[in-house]
Amino acid sequence: MWVIAIRELFIFFSSGIGYLTLGAYLTVTTLFLWFFDTDFNIINTGFADLNSFFVLAPWLLMFFIPALTMRSFSEERRTGTLELLLTKPLALWQIILGKYIGVMLLILIVLLTTLIYSLALYDLKLNSITMDLGSTFSAYLGLTLLSSVFAAMGLLSSLLTKNQVSAFMLALILCFVQFFLWKGIADLMLDAKAYNLFNQIGIFEYYLRLCQGLISIKDLIYFIALNYVLLYISYLLLLKIKNQGR
């Protein structure tokens, strides 16, 4: 499992496309937070917090993570190396979790680089103003859990097609639906029960509470359960591919 995860890291960092994807994400984030005159500009908000970043980040990750995962299985299916991998003495769960862990390590590297925004904000703030480090930690936890769901959706999409572009588009749609669409449907509901139901299906409310500094067992269970369901569906698809190859 760890061998596969390290292999994924090696493939990413040995590829110019990998560095381009990573650089594009950090560049766009930096421009929106510090240079563009928009509502996301931290200096324009006048507050010593990273709320703008945590509002912007999910929308950028919605494109960034599918770009990372689109080749995970689809490229191996296209080139025939997946069948070779399935002949190795590895359990299917080891293959899936190896790919998953590899993607998550890449995402964590990206998120760690954004900590420089906190350092910059700390230097810019007035001495009399304090930063809410607890809320920042909770928001980063929420962003990590959100990214884990996007990664699981990306791997699932990559298993469904041999075409990388199709895998990217499918993952993008799934991420958009789970993060935003359910919230949009809930806002259209006039009945309180229907509103709560659709809100509980989507990610938005759970992520929002974590960004507000509220960490609850219910929210953590939601993310863990959703990850498990997505990875289990990927396991069933990989099992089907393996059986078809016999």
Side-chain angles (χ1 to χ4, degrees):
M1 181 173 70
W2 287 104
V3 173
I4 296 176
I6 294 172
R7 174 174 170 264
E8 291 295 304
L9 285 174
F10 176 79
I11 293 174
F12 178 82
F13 286 112
S14 64
S15 168
I17 297 177
Y19 283 105
L20 181 62
T21 304
L22 178 60
Y25 174 80
L26 293 175
T27 300
V28 172
T29 304
T30 302
L31 289 174
F32 270 98
L33 294 180
W34 299 101
F35 294 98
F36 291 163
D37 187 16
T38 66
D39 293 337
F40 296 112
N41 191 294
I42 293 176
I43 297 176
N44 288 347
T45 62
F47 294 101
D49 57 45
L50 290 175
N51 286 341
S52 297
F53 169 67
F54 294 118
V55 172
L56 175 66
W59 295 98
L60 297 180
L61 289 172
M62 201 177 296
F63 291 88
F64 173 67
I65 295 177
L68 287 181
T69 59
M70 65 182 184
R71 51 151 295 279
S72 294
F73 285 106
S74 58
E75 181 66 12
E76 296 212 38
R77 291 187 66 190
R78 187 184 67 81
T79 58
T81 55
L82 180 59
E83 286 73 12
L84 180 62
L85 183 62
L86 291 174
T87 61
K88 301 293 183 181
L90 292 169
L92 297 184
W93 273 115
Q94 288 180 306
I95 297 174
I96 292 172
L97 290 178
K99 297 271 188 181
Y100 178 74
I101 292 172
V103 172
M104 285 305 302
L105 288 175
L106 291 172
I107 294 170
L108 288 175
I109 291 172
V110 174
L111 294 181
L112 284 173
T113 60
T114 63
L115 290 175
I116 193 173
Y117 301 146
S118 297
L119 297 176
L121 190 60
Y122 183 81
D123 287 336
L124 289 172
K125 74 178 183 64
L126 299 175
N127 292 332
S128 59
I129 299 176
T130 59
M131 291 181 62
D132 188 352
L133 297 180
S135 179
T136 301
F137 170 78
S138 175
Y140 264 107
L141 175 61
L143 200 56
T144 302
L145 293 172
L146 175 73
S147 299
S148 70
V149 173
F150 284 177
M153 288 181 173
L155 292 178
L156 175 59
S157 301
S158 186
L159 267 171
L160 289 170
T161 176
K162 296 181 181 180
N163 184 280
Q164 292 190 44
V165 176
S166 298
F168 172 83
M169 293 304 299
L170 180 57
L172 177 61
I173 293 171
L174 289 176
C175 293
F176 176 81
V177 168
Q178 195 62 29
F179 179 72
F180 181 77
L181 187 60
W182 293 118
K183 171 62 176 174
I185 295 174
D187 289 339
L188 297 175
M189 296 294 107
L190 299 177
D191 182 68
K193 291 184 178 179
Y195 175 84
N196 291 330
L197 174 63
F198 284 108
N199 258 340
Q200 290 174 5
I201 296 175
I203 296 176
F204 187 87
E205 286 296 317
Y206 299 94
Y207 174 70
L208 180 61
R209 282 196 290 270
L210 286 168
C211 287
Q212 293 172 341
L214 304 174
I215 301 177
S216 70
I217 298 298
K218 176 184 175 182
D219 297 339
L220 298 179
I221 290 175
Y222 170 83
F223 282 106
I224 293 172
L226 185 54
N227 266 289
Y228 177 78
V229 169
L230 292 168
L231 292 175
Y232 184 71
I233 295 174
S234 297
Y235 166 81
L236 295 178
L237 287 173
L238 192 59
L239 180 60
K240 182 180 178 181
I241 293 171
K242 182 177 182 179
N243 291 334
Q244 288 176 344
R246 289 178 177 175

